[in-house]
Amino acid sequence: MAQPALQTTAPATPTAPPAPAAMSAATVPAPAAAPSVSAAMSVPVPAAPAATSASHATTAVPARPGPPHTPAPGARAVTAGLLAVALLLSAGALAGGALQDFLDRMAGVFALVALSVSVMLGLASVFRDVLTPAWRQFAQLLHRAAGLAGVGFLLVHIGVKVAGEEIAASDVLLGSGDLLVDLGSLAAQLFVLALITGLWRGVFATRRWIRPFRMLHGLAYAGWVAGVVHGLGAGRTPAPWVTACYVLCLAASAAALVHRWTRGRRR
């Protein structure tokens, strides 16, 4: 009896996974495209807002047309100054008795000493290599205060001399013919000019007018020398301590001038 033939079946080979190309696009997401080099380098820069540029344009500080310092005194300040001059002149004229004798002897001395101090402080206030800015500003304040006090005593001195009929009122402006007395009148006029230019300093504080200011204000040096000669030679013989004060003022001012000139030449 014939046996049936054995059927050998080969083992089932495992099914290979499908190729990636055969996978559906719906099941596997496509990778994002890499940005190009040119696109990566051309990064847009945000522009400045228009409002900012406009605000800068509106807040720009314009060039100052006027003087950078104090403005010129107004009508009220000028009127007050004229009243002060009238009061000082009348104070000397109305003084009587012992007060008049004292002012007759000492008002001129006080005026010259105060004006000498003002001259020396004015010289010292420009020494940037000696004084700090704070001390220079303090010296300028003292310079102005001493100048005002000196001119005040000078007006009292003139009022006393006119009231005592030692000099006519017209001789103060026009001269009397006496050289020593006229030097005092010249000194008074130059110091008043220095005071006015000092009060109007803001008007001259530009490159165009700074030289005229220095020339006019610097005439106080000539007035000071004329005042010293007038104080030593006119009228009664001064006391030794008064002469010593004048000599010390002359020496100190000469030393300050020499220092200023030599410093300017070194620069």
Side-chain angles (χ1 to χ4, degrees), residues 179-191:
L179 178 60
L180 293 175
V181 175
D182 292 345
L183 283 177
S185 301
L186 176 63
Q189 296 169 13
L190 293 179
F191 276 123

Side-chain angles (χ1 to χ4, degrees), residues 24-62:
S24 170
T27 58
V28 180
S36 62
V37 177
S38 60
M41 295 185 63
S42 59
V43 179
V45 179
T52 305
S53 60
S55 64
H56 282 297
T58 55
T59 57
V61 180

Side-chain angles (χ1 to χ4, degrees), residues 75-106:
R76 292 182 179 179
V78 172
T79 304
L82 292 176
L83 287 176
V85 170
L87 287 174
L88 290 170
L89 288 172
S90 61
L94 296 177
L99 178 60
Q100 185 178 16
D101 294 338
F102 175 77
L103 292 176
D104 189 26
R105 290 183 290 106
M106 300 305 300

Side-chain angles (χ1 to χ4, degrees), residues 128 197 201 204 209-221 260:
R128 293 183 175 88
T197 53
R201 181 183 177 88
F204 295 95
W209 293 104
I210 191 61
R211 286 194 174 183
F213 167 77
R214 289 175 178 173
M215 293 176 60
L216 293 175
H217 199 69
L219 289 175
Y221 296 130
R260 183 175 181 179

